[in-house]
Amino acid sequence: MKMKGKKWLGMLTALSLCASMLAGCGSAAASEEKADTAAAGTTAESGAAESSTAAEGTNFDEEVELLMYCIGDEGGIYADEALDNLNAMLKEKINATIKPVMVSWGEYKEKMPLIYASGEAYDLVYVANWMNYTSEALKGPFLELSELMPKYAPKTYAEFKESGALDTALVEGKLYMVPSPTTDYTTYVTLWREDLRKKYNVPEITDWDSLAVYMDAIKENEPDMLPLATGPQIFLNMLLMTENDWGQMTAGKSSTAAGGVVICKDEAGSKAFNLLDTPEYEAYVKRNREYYLKGYWSRNVLSETRMLAEAFEAGQSAITIGNKSNMLQMYQKIKANNPDWELDFKNFDAGSYIKVSPTNNGMAIGVNSKHPERAMAYLELINQDEEVFRAMQYGIEGKTYVVDENGCKTTPEGVDPSTLALRNLGMGTQVEKFMFKNAADEQKVLDEFDSYESNAVYSPLTAFVFDDSAVAAECAAVANVLTEYKLPLDFGVSDPETALPELREKVKEAGVDKIIDEVNRQLEEYFAAQ
């Protein structure tokens, strides 16, 4: 059941929880005001020269204000000044300004569907696959961009078309998002205290077997430290997926380690299958049972509230697990707070990597926008004009950031970094070619992730969204079974000799086979439409 190399294309969907989480001058002003034209998904006619682009300084006749919904808070003490600075540039280049409406992280998932349903004439909005971009697009709140983008963002359109980024954003063959392709990977690495490995003469860590030798040494020599303080995360399940070339697991509405059991493999035309029936899952729970009995993690793991990183940073565990962002943050904190510690890490993946989909972040234009051409010109400008992008992303040089002798961004001398937060305007437009490296980033971590590029691909399942309406009762029943029976198995609390057969029986009684059949039916339709 194991796939090697580039055969798998890297997205694993845990569907048993069955939840949707997871231009030229002279543009006619009148054309921009036709909301009905935008609602029909067509590009308003204008006198704009198609060969011009926003990045080349194209102007429009009438100044407009673009209403843009963003995720995040209102920023720190320089947020207004930075916005004024950005708007001055936008007015000069495309005769427009932006009016950001910030929706907090805690409100965004609940509030934005209400905005979409209201028919409000917003111009730009942050969208993402993890914010149900595909299912929301099918409801009609976003403008179809296949004609608008090549006309008003020609350079960005050409770049994203050539890279394949636009293909990942198609919903039933139509484009509703300008995605944000960046070089990142949905893979996880295991990080440990290298100074302790050396202290106890443990051989180099290369795989799970050698990691277990290290955990034995920690258990024997560090009585106040757990080898791995795992708890309310799904990292162990994620490692199972990646080490078997199954891709990355998402856990639906659940934030527990239960995850899912209906897995869509990553080749076009492949069939969904039941994770619990695989020999890989059986070996995984047997291994975790051994680790639990040896005391590698807490006997109270099912009620543990500490996060992995939190315990590691506090010196309460010797191992943590995370992605690139986690690793960079960890190195920065350890350097600042425990400079005598030495860190190292290893990726236990099977050797293939899924690129973070360009649809992980992006921007859409509202279907009732009164200024769709100008909104697209704004996206072209951000993606093609380095000065404008950096004003949006970083603020004002010398005040909110400085660039050191190595070309890396850092904090101005004598300034409290906690005061420098800006409005989160650029989450949907991460333009890698214009982004500074952070002076505090660990080059070793950056090099590790850069090495994945030669064997990394996008998943053909990026835009697949499972409609659970036909099997809603079965999905709910399976979800309950997972929480009660799978979690204890995943953490080694239950004995797999008796608990695994019971779990398999329980999910079948709950209707997992019916769910699998429905997933496969929808997969066939999905691939047929590609």
Side-chain angles (χ1 to χ4, degrees), residues 128-201:
N129 54 14
W130 57 272
M131 290 295 299
N132 303 322
Y133 158 68
T134 299
S135 57
E136 291 293 350
L138 290 171
K139 299 174 186 176
F142 310 137
L143 187 66
E144 209 283 316
L145 305 177
S146 59
E147 294 183 15
L148 192 73
M149 188 176 180
K151 187 169 185 177
Y152 291 96
K155 290 185 177 179
T156 304
Y157 179 83
E159 287 179 10
F160 291 4
K161 188 68 175 176
E162 182 179 2
S163 70
L166 289 185
D167 292 337
T168 69
L170 295 177
V171 178
E172 295 187 345
K174 296 181 179 180
L175 180 67
Y176 298 98
M177 174 203 287
V178 176
S180 182
T182 55
T183 306
D184 203 352
Y185 309 90
T186 55
T187 190
Y188 283 77
V189 297
T190 301
L191 181 143
W192 60 84
R193 289 275 302 275
E194 177 70 358
D195 56 307
L196 295 181
R197 183 192 72 79
K198 293 177 177 178
K199 178 179 180 180
Y200 300 119
N201 297 313

Side-chain angles (χ1 to χ4, degrees), residues 411-473:
T411 304
E413 187 175 355
V415 175
D416 180 358
S418 66
T419 67
L420 299 181
L422 303 178
R423 292 182 179 89
N424 189 22
L425 306 180
M427 188 169 169
T429 48
Q430 295 292 299
V431 186
E432 199 165 56
K433 62 187 176 183
F434 297 148
M435 295 177 73
F436 290 116
K437 289 185 178 180
N438 192 316
D441 285 347
E442 177 67 25
Q443 190 61 44
K444 181 177 180 179
V445 177
L446 298 177
D447 290 343
E448 167 74 9
F449 279 79
D450 286 346
S451 71
Y452 301 162
E453 180 62 23
S454 63
N455 202 27
V457 290
Y458 292 127
S459 167
L461 295 175
T462 296
F464 177 71
V465 175
F466 178 55
D467 178 3
D468 68 355
S469 57
V471 287

Side-chain angles (χ1 to χ4, degrees), residues 37-186:
T37 301
T42 60
T43 304
E45 292 297 324
S46 76
E50 291 189 31
S51 61
S52 298
T53 70
E56 293 167 348
T58 297
N59 200 1
F60 290 81
D61 287 343
E62 179 187 4
E63 180 181 348
V64 301
E65 182 179 71
L66 301 174
L67 182 66
M68 182 167 73
Y69 276 98
C70 305
I71 186 169
D73 59 30
E74 290 293 336
I77 61 175
Y78 295 114
D80 287 342
E81 187 176 349
L83 178 60
D84 290 343
N85 179 59
L86 172 62
N87 274 334
M89 294 182 182
L90 297 178
K91 187 178 185 310
E92 177 185 353
K93 292 176 181 287
I94 58 171
N95 202 18
T97 57
I98 60 170
K99 180 181 179 181
V101 179
M102 307 307 300
V103 183
S104 72
W105 286 97
E107 297 177 327
Y108 201 82
K109 288 187 178 182
E110 290 72 31
K111 185 172 182 178
M112 291 316 302
L114 300 178
I115 297 296
Y116 300 152
S118 73
E120 180 181 349
Y122 59 84
D123 298 294
L124 291 155
V125 60
Y126 173 81
V127 290
N129 54 14
W130 57 272
M131 290 295 299
N132 303 322
Y133 158 68
T134 299
S135 57
E136 291 293 350
L138 290 171
K139 299 174 186 176
F142 310 137
L143 187 66
E144 209 283 316
L145 305 177
S146 59
E147 294 183 15
L148 192 73
M149 188 176 180
K151 187 169 185 177
Y152 291 96
K155 290 185 177 179
T156 304
Y157 179 83
E159 287 179 10
F160 291 4
K161 188 68 175 176
E162 182 179 2
S163 70
L166 289 185
D167 292 337
T168 69
L170 295 177
V171 178
E172 295 187 345
K174 296 181 179 180
L175 180 67
Y176 298 98
M177 174 203 287
V178 176
S180 182
T182 55
T183 306
D184 203 352
Y185 309 90
T186 55

Side-chain angles (χ1 to χ4, degrees), residues 275-466:
L275 167 69
L276 306 182
D277 289 339
T278 65
E280 290 88 350
Y281 183 75
E282 184 170 350
Y284 161 79
V285 293
K286 287 180 177 179
R287 181 181 72 191
N288 288 355
R289 176 65 172 174
E290 177 186 351
Y291 290 175
Y292 172 78
L293 293 176
K294 287 184 175 182
Y296 289 173
W297 49 75
S298 171
R299 288 299 179 97
N300 300 315
V301 62
L302 293 177
S303 59
E304 179 65 73
T305 59
R306 290 180 304 176
M307 303 300 284
L308 267 170
E310 178 186 357
F312 186 83
E313 291 168 19
Q316 297 167 347
S317 71
I319 298 170
T320 189
I321 302 166
N323 57 23
K324 180 172 76 172
S325 177
N326 300 143
M327 295 301 101
L328 288 172
Q329 293 174 12
M330 189 68 64
Y331 268 88
Q332 292 164 14
K333 290 180 179 179
I334 297 306
K335 281 184 176 180
N337 301 325
N338 297 283
D340 56 325
W341 291 8
E342 184 181 353
L343 305 180
D344 204 354
F345 57 85
K346 179 68 177 178
N347 186 321
F348 296 146
D349 285 4
S352 300
Y353 310 98
I354 176 177
K355 293 182 178 181
V356 170
S357 172
T359 62
N360 195 57
N361 296 289
M363 297 296 291
I365 295 175
V367 72
N368 293 320
S369 168
K370 295 180 180 180
H371 317 293
E373 296 91 347
R374 207 75 62 96
M376 185 59 73
Y378 166 80
L379 295 176
E380 174 83 335
L381 196 63
I382 292 296
N383 279 282
Q384 301 300 330
D385 190 307
E386 181 176 16
E387 179 187 29
V388 175
F389 171 81
R390 288 181 173 171
M392 183 236 8
Q393 184 75 11
Y394 303 119
I396 303 171
E397 186 171 3
K399 183 164 289 188
T400 60
Y401 75 98
V402 293
V403 182
D404 67 15
E405 64 276 9
N406 298 316
C408 296
K409 181 183 74 70
T410 189
T411 304
E413 187 175 355
V415 175
D416 180 358
S418 66
T419 67
L420 299 181
L422 303 178
R423 292 182 179 89
N424 189 22
L425 306 180
M427 188 169 169
T429 48
Q430 295 292 299
V431 186
E432 199 165 56
K433 62 187 176 183
F434 297 148
M435 295 177 73
F436 290 116
K437 289 185 178 180
N438 192 316
D441 285 347
E442 177 67 25
Q443 190 61 44
K444 181 177 180 179
V445 177
L446 298 177
D447 290 343
E448 167 74 9
F449 279 79
D450 286 346
S451 71
Y452 301 162
E453 180 62 23
S454 63
N455 202 27
V457 290
Y458 292 127
S459 167
L461 295 175
T462 296
F464 177 71
V465 175
F466 178 55

